[in-house]
Amino acid sequence: DSGVTQTPKHLITATGQRVTLRCSPRSGDLSVYWYQQSLDQGLQFLIQYYNGEERAKGNILERFSAQQFPDLHSELNLSSLELGDSALYFCASSASGGAVGDTQYFGPGTRLTVL
Amino acid sequence: AQSVAQPEDQVNVAEGNPLTVKCTYSVSGNPYLFWYVQYPNRGLQFLLKYITGDNLVKGSYGFEAEFNKSQTSFHLKKPSALVSDSALYFCAVRDSNSGGYQKVTFGTGTKLQVIP
């Protein structure tokens, strides 16, 4: 158990809908990262937040957004869902935003199925 | 730009034999290197990392990795494979020149199959 929690574990929804994925980082970690894992694209970095502020952006679509709250939990919002958004979404956390040797620890993931 | 390559989609090894999962990287500065393992329907679990110092890094579950700067490689090894080691393995790299945030690039993963 990494100490990173994600809810829900599974999510089934329809095209065009909007969903919210939630992540709680390990105790004391200030950074949260979101990744998308699909069979054809591998593990894709979406976005990083550090202590409430956006720190880095990866291949995140405009239909997707995220935020990190004062208690450091984070939410990933996915809207206007398409079939291709079906994937595993992982959250990871790390102690700092970029210190040497900082290690990311991953949550168990949320499996999103768009029908 | 930083990149990482795992040249083998799948590695098969007999139980009890030594295993190697290959990883090569490209960075402009110094590399920070990581290995993760993913079991089916689970998140990635951190195995080990190289930041600086001894080229041989020991990690969880008896795994180790050897950093080779001249060959820009960071291969994962284990002296004796177990069936329970069967999983998907990811190599990841961060460039010391990546600035104040931690952009880590993950490889495409190598499926390890340990045959009883």
Side-chain angles (χ1 to χ4, degrees):
Chain A
D1 184 5
S2 68
V4 179
T5 60
Q6 290 186 248
T7 56
K9 284 189 75 172
H10 303 278
L11 202 47
I12 301 174
T13 188
T15 54
Q17 295 298 306
R18 182 178 190 274
V19 297
T20 297
L21 313 184
R22 183 188 168 102
C23 168
S24 291
R26 295 187 321 155
S27 177
D29 282 0
L30 298 178
S31 270
V32 168
Y33 311 77
W34 286 98
Y35 291 87
Q36 179 193 58
Q37 185 181 38
S38 57
L39 281 173
D40 56 343
Q41 297 258 346
L43 194 66
Q44 298 285 317
F45 167 68
L46 296 177
I47 197 163
Q48 176 197 1
Y49 277 82
Y50 172 71
N51 206 17
E53 294 191 4
E54 183 184 304
R55 199 73 183 263
K57 246 180 178 176
N59 302 321
I60 189 166
L61 300 172
E62 284 192 15
R63 300 184 285 111
F64 297 179
S65 65
Q67 53 184 326
Q68 186 180 27
F69 295 86
D71 67 352
L72 300 177
H73 91 271
S74 177
E75 292 181 356
L76 179 67
N77 300 297
L78 314 176
S79 61
S80 304
L81 284 167
E82 301 174 359
L83 295 177
D85 297 327
S86 296
L88 265 171
Y89 291 85
F90 288 109
C91 166
S93 74
S94 71
S96 78
V100 172
D102 202 26
T103 300
Q104 294 182 31
Y105 294 90
F106 282 74
T110 293
R111 181 173 292 280
L112 174 67
T113 302
V114 182
L115 301 176
Chain B
Q2 62 193 36
S3 65
V4 61
Q6 293 181 245
E8 301 154 318
D9 289 336
Q10 180 157 336
V11 170
N12 297 322
V13 62
E15 186 178 23
N17 281 3
L19 70 87
T20 299
V21 182
K22 295 180 180 176
C23 172
T24 59
Y25 66 89
S26 175
V27 295
S28 60
N30 294 315
Y32 305 137
L33 296 153
F34 305 82
W35 274 103
Y36 288 83
V37 60
Q38 185 181 27
Y39 297 99
N41 300 312
R42 302 283 294 275
L44 278 70
Q45 294 180 36
F46 169 71
L47 278 179
L48 52 81
K49 66 183 177 185
Y50 170 83
I51 303 302
T52 187
D54 195 347
N55 288 344
L56 187 63
V57 179
K58 294 190 183 297
S60 307
Y61 313 121
F63 284 94
E64 57 189 28
E66 186 166 13
F67 171 65
N68 187 316
K69 187 171 183 178
S70 62
Q71 297 186 4
T72 61
S73 67
F74 189 57
H75 300 333
L76 182 70
K77 300 181 180 186
K78 188 173 182 181
S80 178
L82 301 172
V83 172
S84 58
D85 293 331
S86 298
L88 189 58
Y89 290 80
F90 289 94
C91 181
V93 67
R94 179 191 163 200
D95 192 338
S96 66
N97 286 345
S98 63
Y101 63 91
Q102 188 179 163
K103 185 187 175 192
V104 175
T105 300
F106 284 81
T108 52
T110 298
K111 184 178 179 181
L112 175 67
Q113 191 82 19
V114 181
I115 302 158

